[in-house]
Amino acid sequence: ARYDALAAIGMQRASLGVQDFEPAVQKAINRLQTFEQTRCVVEEVRARGTRSVNCDIVYGLPHQTSASFAQTVTDILSLAPDRIALFGYAHVPWMKKHQTMIDDASLPGPEARYALNKAASQMIIDAGYEAIGIDHFALPGDSLARAARTGTLRRNFQGYTDDQAATIIGLGASSVGSFRQGYVQNMPATGQYEKMVLGGDLAVVRGVALSSDDCMRRWVIEQIMCTFGFAFDDLRQFGPAAATVIAEAQALCAVDDMVVIRDNRLEILAPAQPFARSIAATFDAYLAGGAGRHSMAV
């Protein structure tokens, strides 16, 4: 009945947070589901006309090994999802207290995380998927792959998209909305969220307004994440302030051999593209004061 209800409201895309199929890994992260259960979900949504299915898998999880994760990737590929997202586990117990239950010693180190990422990526590409940005893959006929080829790929806080809309309206408890002027978040507690909505009120409990500098840097970071660089001429749409970011790009090239300036454009060299998040972070005006708050980039 739940599948029928989703079909009745016109669901066209479904995204499944698989993470990993290895039982020991699932137990450690409290995300228990069998491959058969996941396969059933994919079959049920497709049977009701869902035109695109995405599966999220995560590397860097506790007790994960190269062999076990390769089996997870193999299982995912057998489902032939239209898209696959390959995310790195963000171990941030100082921000998410429930992660203190995970033994740090059970987590793969930086080198092992990188190896897991590279091996899984190659398996997915060998299966006929196209790499999209830093952590997504899509079948060649998928709209995300077409957007990457035509230069219309976008990225927001939910990941890569071909949607050109500047506004995202979050529905449900804790959901986030994105606007040209900033971001808003709904009440996280479900009971309080329902009470606010049923009372005829907005469920928004906090928000962040963007300055003109924020908007410029958001554009720069999105361009890096989507195209592994940005054109200085395009950046000048933000006016005289663009000179500041151009100077930052020139300074970065002077000390970092992973990036170059070519044809008036900052470019990340191909071998360094897995580190695009770290390079993009150098243009984030807020990270300098937040050391230790964020997860590893790969």
Side-chain angles (χ1 to χ4, degrees), residues 203-225:
V204 172
V205 293
R206 64 173 179 162
V208 177
L210 296 176
S211 68
S212 58
D213 186 69
D214 292 336
C215 292
M216 176 176 62
R217 293 178 182 277
R218 175 171 66 173
W219 179 88
V220 167
I221 290 169
E222 182 182 11
Q223 288 294 306
I224 292 174
M225 300 290 265

Side-chain angles (χ1 to χ4, degrees), residues 9 54 56 144 214 241 254 268 293:
I9 63 173
N54 171 78
D56 291 350
L144 204 63
D214 292 336
I268 302 176
R293 294 192 300 114

